[in-house]
Amino acid sequence: MVVDQDLVRHLSESSVSVELQTEEMTLNIGPQHPSTHGVLRLVARVDGERAFDVQPVIGYMHRGYEKLSEVRTYPQITTLINRIDWVAGYANEIPFVVAAEKLLGLEVPERAQYIRLILTEMARISSHLIFMASYPLELGAATPLFFALRERERVLDLLEGVTGGRFHPNFNRIGGVKPAYGSGSSTRKVIQDLPAGFLAATREAMDRVLEAVEELELLVADNEIILARTKGIGVLPADVAAAYGVSGPNLRASGVAFDLRKVEDYLPYHLFDFEIPTGENGDCWDRWHVRLLEIRQSVRIVQQAIDGIPSGPLQAKVPKIIKVPQGETYVRAENPKGEMGYYLVSNGNQGPYRLKIRSASFSNISILPWILEGVLVPDIIAILGSLDFVLGDVDR
Amino acid sequence: MTSSPSETANGETEAAEADADAAVEAATPEPHPLQEFADHVAATVGGEGAVVFDTVKVEVDSGDWVSALTTARDEMGLIFFSWLSATDWSSEVQVGDPYPEAVEDRIEVLATVGDISEGRRVTFSTTLGKDSPSISSLVGVYAGANWHEREAHEMFGIDFEGHPNLAHLYLPDAFVGNPLRKSFPLLTREVKPWPGTVDVEAMPGGGDEEESADGPSEENPEA
Amino acid sequence: MSAFLSDLFANFWVSLAGKLLLVALMIPLVGMVIGYAEMKLSAKMQARVGPYFAGGRWGWAQLIADGVKFFQKEDLIPEEADRPVFKIAPVLVLISTVALLVVIPFGPGIIFRDLSVGVFYALAISSLSTVGILMAGWSSGNKYSLMGGLRAAGQLIAYELPLVLAVIGSVMLAGTMSMSGIVEAQIEAGYPYLIIQFVGFGIFMVAALAELSRIPFDMPIAESELVMGYLTEYSGFRFLFFFLAEFANMFTLSAIAVTLFLGGYWLPGIPEDVLAYAGPVIVLAKTFLLVFAMIWFRWTFPRFREDQLQSLAWKWLIPLALANIIITGAFKVYL
C-alpha cells in the first residue's frame, strides 16, 4: 500500500495548526458606562476576552470653550474654565489668569499668590483623592471609595469656605484673588479675606488627610489582588508618553522626575520644599502610587505655605474694565491631571482674540489606542482608570 | 533708552536701527533670559526666534514644518509634544474683537513642544494661506499630534497631509464648517450683542481709568 | 394535640404541603435577612449608616420596601432577547436554590429529605444556577450580558471541580454521602471535620464564593467592566429573583459547608436531647457566621481578572484538593 507522504504531513500539520476560529465582536464601551468617567466611548474589537483594537471616541461633552471665550470678557472666562476639569476646578483658573496678568504686566500681591498656591494644592489633593476613591472601585473594591471621599469632603469644605464653591470656585481675579468688595464706595466696605480660622482648620484637615492616606495605603497597597491586577499592567515607557504628550502623574509614574511646579514660575513654588515622586515601571500600580505620594507632597506644601503666608493686599490695582494689551503667550501649570496651559492671543480688547486650551486629559487619553492594544477586557478598565482623566478636561 | 549692555555694544554701528528699536525696547529693556535659547533653537531648525511674554516662539517656513520639528526633537531634546493648534488672523471678523490694525489674513499653525527635564519649551509657528490651508502632518514625528491635528482640521479646515485618519474628533461626522474660523458665525453672538460692555457697568464713585481706579487692596488694611 | 399533629404530618400530602410552604417562606426570608445584613455590614465597613428610615428604626423594612418596589417595576424584555429563555432563566436560578435546601439537616431528623446521595445531589443542583446564569447571559441579546454569561460558564467549569474535590475528604471520613449521616459521623468522632479537613474547607469556601460569583470572583457581573454582566437587561421581579437567589444561595452553600465541615447542628457539650430543639439555631448561627465572612470579603477585596481566576482554580485549588484527598485517604487507612 502506497502511503501518500504529503497527505500524511498535511494532515499532521493541519491538526496542529487549525485553531479554534472565534468570531470577533465589536464591543461599545460607553458613552454611558460605569467606568468611563463621563461620556467617553471606546469602540473595542474583542476576540473573547482580548481586545485587539480599541478606538476612543470623544466629543460627547464638547462645549466649545475656545470659541465661546472669544466672545467673553476676561473675568467671564474664569467661570467657563472652571468647568474644564471639574474635579479640580480651582486649578484650571490659575494658568489663565497668570497668562492675562503676564500680558498686562501685573504683579500679583504675595498674599494672593500664597492663597492661590494653597487652594491649588488643595484642589490637587481633592482630585487625587477622587482617583484614590474611584480606582479601586474599578478593580471591584468598593470600600476605599468611602474612605477617600470622606477626607475629600474635609478639603472641599475648606475650599467652599474660602471661595463659596465646591467644584466651581471662580475665585481668581486678574491681578489677585476675589477682592474686597465696594471699591470706591465708603458705604459698602466689606473686607474679604480668608475666613476666620481657615488656616488652623486647614492645618488640622491636612493632618487628617495624611492619616487617611496612610489608611488608604494599608487598605489598597497591601492587597494581593490589587497588586496582581495592577503590577505590570498597562506599562507606558517614558519616551512614548512624552511623544503623546502624556503629562503629570502619568508621566512621572514612568520614571520621569518632571514637574512643572519646579520649572515654571506661575506660582511661587520655589519657596517651598517638596519632592517629585516617581514610579519605576510606568504600570497601573505606579500611576496609583505616584498619586498617593503626591498627596503627601501637596500636604507638605500646604503646611509650609500656611506657616509662611504673608499679610498684605489680595488684589493688585487693575482697571474696572480690563483690556489686555496686544500680545500672545503660553502659560502652563502643573494641574492634578497634568500639564494644563492656555495659549492666549490678545488684540488689546476686553476679551481674548484666541484662546487655545491645552488640557491634560486630552493628551493623556490620546495614548489609549497605543496602550490598549491587545489587552484583556478587565485590563481595559484597569488601564483606563489608572490614567485618571475627566471628560470635561478631554472635550473642553 | 539703550540701557541694556548688548545694545550699547552695538549702539554705535547700528545707531539708525537703535532709534527704530527704541519703542520695542521700552517694553523689554533687557534681553530676555530665554532670548539666547530662542536664538539657538531658531538657528538650529532654521527659522526666526523671539521671546514674547516668556514664551519662546520660533517661526519657520511651512515647507520646513516637519523637518524643523524633527530637528527640535532629535537635536534639541524637545521630545514632549504639548499641543498643536492654530490662530485664524482676520481683520474683518464676525466673532471676537476685530484686530485694531489691519492684519494679514492668514492661518497661523502653532505647535508647542518641550523637554521633560529642564522645562524648556518652544512654540513653533508657521503661516498658511486662508484658502485651503495645507501642511504636512507631524504624526510621524510626534505620535501625540494625531488628535491635535484632527482637532485643528475640523476647527480650522487645515489639511494635514499624511495624517492616518483625518476624521472629525469632536464634531458629528456630518458637521459642515470650521467653527474656530473667525468667519464662522456664533449664534449666541447673533442673538445677543457683545456682552462685555454691558456686563461691566461703572460702579458709583469708581472711575474707569487705571490710575484713578481705587484698587480694592487699598481698602483692605488687614489682608 | 401532639399526637394529632404527628398523625397529621404522617400524611404524605400534608407533610409535603407543610414542607413546601416552609421552603417557600424560607427563601425570601433568608434572602431578606442576608440582604439586610449585607447592607448594614457594608455600611459599617464603609463608615456609612446604611438603611435608616424604612420601618421606623434601623431601616429594618428596607428589603421589604425594595421587594415591593421590584414588583411594581415594568417587566422589560429587550427586543433582541430570546424571550422564553430570558423569562425562564431567573426562575431556574431560584429553583436551584430552593432545591438545595432539601438536603440540609437542621437538627436530628429535621431535614426535608435525607437523601442517601445528599452531597452528590447538593453539588449537582448547585451548578444548576450557573446554567441559569448562562441562559440569562445568552438570551439577553446584549454583548455585556453575553460576556458575563460566558465568564460564568468558564467559572462554573473551573470551580465545580475544586468544589467537588474539596467535599470528598469529608465524605471519605464519614463513609457516607448522606448529609445527616456526615453530621452524625462528626458527632461520633467527637470533632468537626474542620480540624482535619481545614484544607478542604478553605477550598470549598473559595469555590463556593466563585460559584456565587461574589467578589473577588464576580467577573460575570463586574459592574465596572460589563455594566452588570448577565443582569444588565433584567428588571422588576425577574431581577428580584436573581437578587434573592444570590442571597439565598449564600445561605445554602454556607449551610452545606456547616454540615460537611463544622459539625452541622452539633456543638460539643450539648446533650443530645437539647440538640433536637437547639439544632436549627446552631445551624443558623454557624451558617450566618460563614455568610458574614462572605460579606466581609466582598467589601474588602477587589475582583480577580478572568485569567487569574482560572489559574487559581486549575493551578492551585485542584492540585491542592487532590493532595487533600490522598492525605485523607492515607489518614483513613492507617489511623
Side-chain angles (χ1 to χ4, degrees):
Chain A
M1 189 181 154
V2 182
V3 178
D4 185 344
Q5 288 298 323
D6 278 351
L7 184 65
V8 169
R9 196 180 304 118
H10 175 73
L11 285 174
S12 63
E13 278 174 4
S14 64
S15 66
V16 179
S17 65
V18 170
E19 282 180 32
L20 187 62
Q21 285 293 313
T22 48
E23 202 178 331
E24 100 181 30
M25 180 168 84
T26 304
L27 190 67
N28 258 310
I29 304 176
Q32 273 88 38
H33 187 275
S35 296
T36 51
H37 299 240
V39 283
L40 176 70
R41 177 174 157 219
L42 298 175
V43 182
R45 283 163 64 211
V46 296
D47 182 5
E49 285 279 333
R50 196 166 287 280
F52 52 89
D53 179 37
V54 182
Q55 289 301 330
V57 179
I58 63 171
Y60 293 95
M61 200 174 265
H62 187 235
R63 294 152 293 178
Y65 282 166
E66 293 186 10
K67 184 77 169 176
L68 215 49
S69 52
E70 290 175 10
V71 293
R72 292 283 186 277
T73 61
Y74 287 94
Q76 289 169 336
I77 287 171
T78 51
T79 323
L80 292 182
I81 61 183
N82 265 307
R83 283 145 178 87
I84 293 175
D85 170 8
W86 54 71
V87 302
Y90 185 83
N92 297 332
E93 301 173 14
I94 301 290
F96 173 74
V97 291
V98 171
E101 282 154 6
K102 200 161 254 183
L103 294 184
L104 278 160
L106 276 178
E107 276 292 326
V108 180
E110 227 181 318
R111 186 176 176 84
Q113 294 217 13
Y114 267 70
I115 293 174
R116 280 182 182 180
L117 188 141
I118 291 172
L119 296 185
T120 305
E121 289 310 310
M122 280 165 62
R124 189 186 316 279
I125 291 168
S126 78
S127 168
H128 282 0
L129 279 174
I130 282 229
F131 173 79
M132 296 286 131
S134 65
Y135 190 54
L137 186 67
E138 266 143 36
L139 300 175
T143 301
L145 176 91
F146 294 91
F147 287 80
L149 288 190
R150 185 181 59 190
E151 301 316 315
R152 171 171 167 272
E153 207 58 27
R154 291 178 211 278
V155 177
L156 284 187
D157 281 349
L158 289 166
L159 265 174
E160 188 184 6
V162 178
T163 65
R166 282 157 51 89
F167 272 51
H168 307 307
N170 196 23
F171 188 61
N172 283 294
R173 300 291 181 270
I174 288 165
V177 291
K178 198 172 178 181
Y181 189 66
S183 63
S185 157
S186 54
T187 55
R188 297 169 71 188
K189 257 191 210 167
V190 179
I191 308 301
Q192 284 202 358
D193 195 28
L194 295 173
F198 170 78
L199 296 179
T202 308
R203 193 173 283 127
E204 201 181 314
M206 289 302 122
D207 291 343
R208 274 298 294 139
V209 167
L210 279 187
E211 283 172 36
V213 167
E214 202 85 22
E215 204 175 28
L216 273 173
E217 200 170 15
L218 282 175
L219 191 59
V220 178
D222 286 356
N223 192 313
E224 289 291 329
I225 303 178
I226 292 248
L227 296 181
R229 286 294 309 274
T230 55
K231 285 235 174 187
I233 303 298
V235 175
L236 179 58
D239 54 333
V240 178
Y244 274 91
V246 174
S247 54
N250 294 329
L251 182 64
R252 289 192 280 279
S254 299
V256 182
F258 181 63
D259 191 320
L260 295 177
R261 287 177 288 178
K262 292 278 191 194
V263 298
E264 297 278 344
D265 61 349
Y266 62 101
L267 283 176
Y269 280 106
H270 59 274
L271 300 174
F272 305 110
D273 189 25
F274 66 100
E275 286 152 25
I276 308 175
T278 55
E280 284 165 18
N281 308 316
D283 53 14
C284 290
W285 167 250
D286 278 341
R287 289 194 277 276
W288 185 86
H289 197 230
V290 158
R291 287 187 175 88
L292 182 105
L293 298 175
E294 272 188 17
I295 294 181
R296 294 206 172 115
Q297 297 302 323
S298 290
V299 168
R300 253 176 93 185
I301 297 172
V302 172
Q303 283 169 339
Q304 293 172 53
I306 290 172
D307 290 339
I309 188 166
S311 57
L314 295 181
Q315 255 287 15
K317 276 189 185 177
V318 286
K320 278 266 163 350
I321 293 176
I322 296 167
K323 289 190 174 177
V324 172
Q326 213 167 318
E328 48 197 270
T329 187
Y330 176 59
V331 172
R332 57 180 182 169
E334 184 69 41
N335 266 34
K337 306 268 183 295
E339 173 184 336
M340 168 140 210
Y342 295 88
Y343 190 79
L344 176 62
V345 181
S346 175
N347 62 352
N349 234 318
Q350 290 179 40
Y353 183 74
R354 164 99 175 94
L355 182 69
K356 160 70 192 169
I357 304 168
R358 195 276 183 202
S359 60
S361 300
F362 178 75
S363 291
N364 285 357
I365 72 159
S366 72
I367 194 91
L368 284 179
W370 185 89
I371 203 170
L372 291 182
E373 205 181 328
V375 303
L376 296 169
V377 170
D379 286 342
I380 292 183
I381 305 302
I383 295 168
L384 197 65
S386 76
L387 291 173
D388 188 24
F389 59 92
V390 159
L391 254 291
D393 201 27
V394 173
D395 286 353
R396 306 190 297 280
Chain B
M1 292 299 285
T2 55
S3 53
S4 72
S6 66
E7 282 302 325
T8 44
N10 312 343
E12 285 175 34
T13 50
E14 294 171 11
E17 279 182 40
D19 278 340
D21 290 345
V24 181
E25 278 172 28
T28 53
E30 271 181 44
H32 198 277
L34 287 169
Q35 185 67 49
E36 200 182 323
F37 174 63
D39 291 340
H40 177 55
V41 176
T44 315
V45 304
E48 277 181 51
V51 180
V52 284
F53 297 97
D54 302 341
T55 300
V56 175
K57 196 171 169 187
V58 175
E59 278 179 44
V60 296
D61 203 58
S62 64
D64 300 339
W65 184 242
V66 172
S67 66
L69 276 134
T70 311
T71 314
R73 182 193 66 180
D74 295 339
E75 289 174 30
M76 314 290 306
L78 304 173
I79 59 167
F80 180 81
F81 184 81
S82 185
W83 54 272
L84 179 145
S85 192
T87 306
D88 180 15
W89 292 96
S90 169
S91 293
E92 290 176 28
V93 290
Q94 289 191 305
V95 170
D97 299 312
Y99 228 73
E101 65 259 31
V103 293
E104 189 195 336
D105 270 8
R106 65 186 195 277
I107 296 229
E108 186 185 14
V109 182
L110 299 152
T112 296
V113 293
D115 65 15
I116 48 172
S117 48
E118 291 157 55
R120 290 186 155 167
R121 60 182 155 89
V122 182
T123 303
F124 286 91
S125 91
T126 188
T127 304
L128 300 177
K130 249 193 166 161
D131 304 321
S132 62
S134 169
I135 194 165
S136 298
S137 168
L138 281 180
V139 174
V141 191
Y142 296 98
N146 190 325
W147 283 17
H148 290 269
E149 286 182 354
R150 280 171 70 184
E151 188 188 358
H153 169 69
E154 65 181 354
M155 293 297 173
F156 291 94
I158 303 167
D159 182 30
F160 290 92
E161 292 161 21
H163 190 285
N165 172 30
L166 212 52
H168 279 172
L169 185 66
Y170 290 132
L171 304 171
D173 289 342
F175 193 90
V176 179
N178 306 112
L180 278 178
R181 288 267 189 126
K182 293 287 178 190
S183 55
F184 188 91
L186 190 67
L187 277 178
T188 47
R189 189 71 192 274
E190 307 277 314
V191 175
K192 198 182 172 203
W194 167 236
T197 47
V198 187
D199 188 61
V200 191
E201 282 174 22
M203 305 261 303
D208 281 349
E209 297 305 310
E210 186 173 353
E211 296 307 318
S212 65
D214 294 323
S217 50
E218 287 177 358
E219 302 184 4
N220 197 349
E222 247 176 70
Chain C
M1 184 71 189
S2 74
F4 170 71
L5 269 181
S6 57
D7 277 358
L8 190 66
F9 276 97
N11 183 311
F12 173 75
W13 295 107
V14 171
S15 98
L16 182 68
K19 284 172 176 178
L20 277 177
L21 191 70
L22 204 58
V23 170
L25 282 177
M26 202 161 167
I27 292 291
L29 199 70
V30 160
M32 274 198 275
V33 168
I34 296 179
Y36 179 74
E38 172 132 50
M39 280 179 172
K40 272 299 192 190
L41 284 170
S42 68
K44 188 74 191 160
M45 289 172 195
Q46 298 175 339
R48 294 185 288 122
V49 179
Y52 191 69
F53 294 106
R57 260 200 116 158
W58 310 308
W60 66 269
Q62 183 66 44
L63 264 287
I64 298 170
D66 275 353
V68 171
K69 181 197 73 178
F70 278 125
F71 274 103
Q72 288 174 332
K73 295 254 171 184
E74 186 184 352
D75 178 28
L76 287 169
I77 299 176
E79 188 78 20
E80 295 280 309
D82 187 340
R83 293 177 77 94
V85 181
F86 185 85
K87 282 180 177 170
I88 210 166
V91 180
L92 198 64
V93 171
L94 197 60
I95 279 179
S96 79
T97 312
V98 178
L100 262 186
L101 274 178
V102 169
V103 291
I104 293 165
F106 287 97
I110 309 178
I111 185 167
F112 291 112
R113 186 79 193 170
D114 189 10
L115 293 176
S116 59
V117 286
V119 176
F120 185 71
Y121 168 84
L123 295 174
I125 289 292
S126 76
S127 336
L128 197 63
S129 70
T130 317
V131 176
I133 288 170
L134 184 57
M135 282 165 67
W138 172 258
S139 65
S140 291
N142 179 315
K143 287 170 183 170
Y144 290 120
S145 300
L146 178 62
M147 287 189 79
L150 289 176
R151 284 180 179 192
Q155 213 158 304
L156 164 79
I157 295 165
Y159 281 86
E160 196 59 27
L161 277 172
L163 194 74
V164 172
L165 294 177
V167 167
I168 288 178
S170 289
V171 172
M172 283 165 75
L173 287 177
T176 172
M177 277 182 118
S178 150
M179 297 286 267
S180 54
I182 289 174
V183 176
E184 276 156 22
Q186 292 181 65
I187 296 174
E188 219 164 278
Y191 54 83
Y193 284 158
L194 174 70
I195 291 174
I196 335 174
Q197 287 297 317
F198 53 90
V199 176
F201 176 70
I203 294 168
F204 183 88
M205 287 312 285
V206 170
L209 275 178
E211 290 271 302
L212 288 166
S213 358
R214 277 179 75 84
I215 281 176
F217 304 105
D218 74 329
M219 276 74 79
I221 299 174
E223 80 278 354
S224 63
E225 296 154 25
L226 301 181
V227 189
M228 246 342 226
Y230 60 88
L231 291 174
T232 307
E233 297 291 355
Y234 279 93
S235 61
F237 71 97
R238 290 185 207 282
F239 180 79
L240 181 68
F241 276 15
F242 280 114
F243 190 73
L244 269 183
E246 182 190 341
F247 290 125
N249 248 332
M250 279 167 74
F251 177 81
T252 46
L253 278 173
S254 300
I256 291 173
V258 165
T259 308
L260 296 178
F261 298 103
L262 301 184
Y265 50 79
W266 172 70
L267 264 188
I270 294 185
E272 214 147 306
D273 51 335
V274 181
L275 271 187
Y277 303 100
V281 180
I282 294 169
V283 171
L284 284 181
K286 287 176 177 176
T287 307
F288 278 114
L289 203 68
L290 292 185
V291 168
F292 168 75
M294 285 180 172
I295 294 175
W296 191 8
F297 289 158
R298 156 122 196 221
W299 298 104
T300 311
F301 288 123
R303 80 174 62 87
F304 277 110
R305 211 171 51 211
E306 191 64 28
D307 58 323
Q308 291 167 341
L309 160 138
Q310 295 285 348
S311 65
L312 178 71
W314 295 105
K315 291 184 188 162
W316 293 100
L317 296 185
I318 291 176
L320 213 59
L322 288 172
N324 184 48
I325 291 172
I326 293 167
I327 293 168
T328 311
F331 180 83
K332 176 96 178 164
V333 172
Y334 292 108
L335 290 178

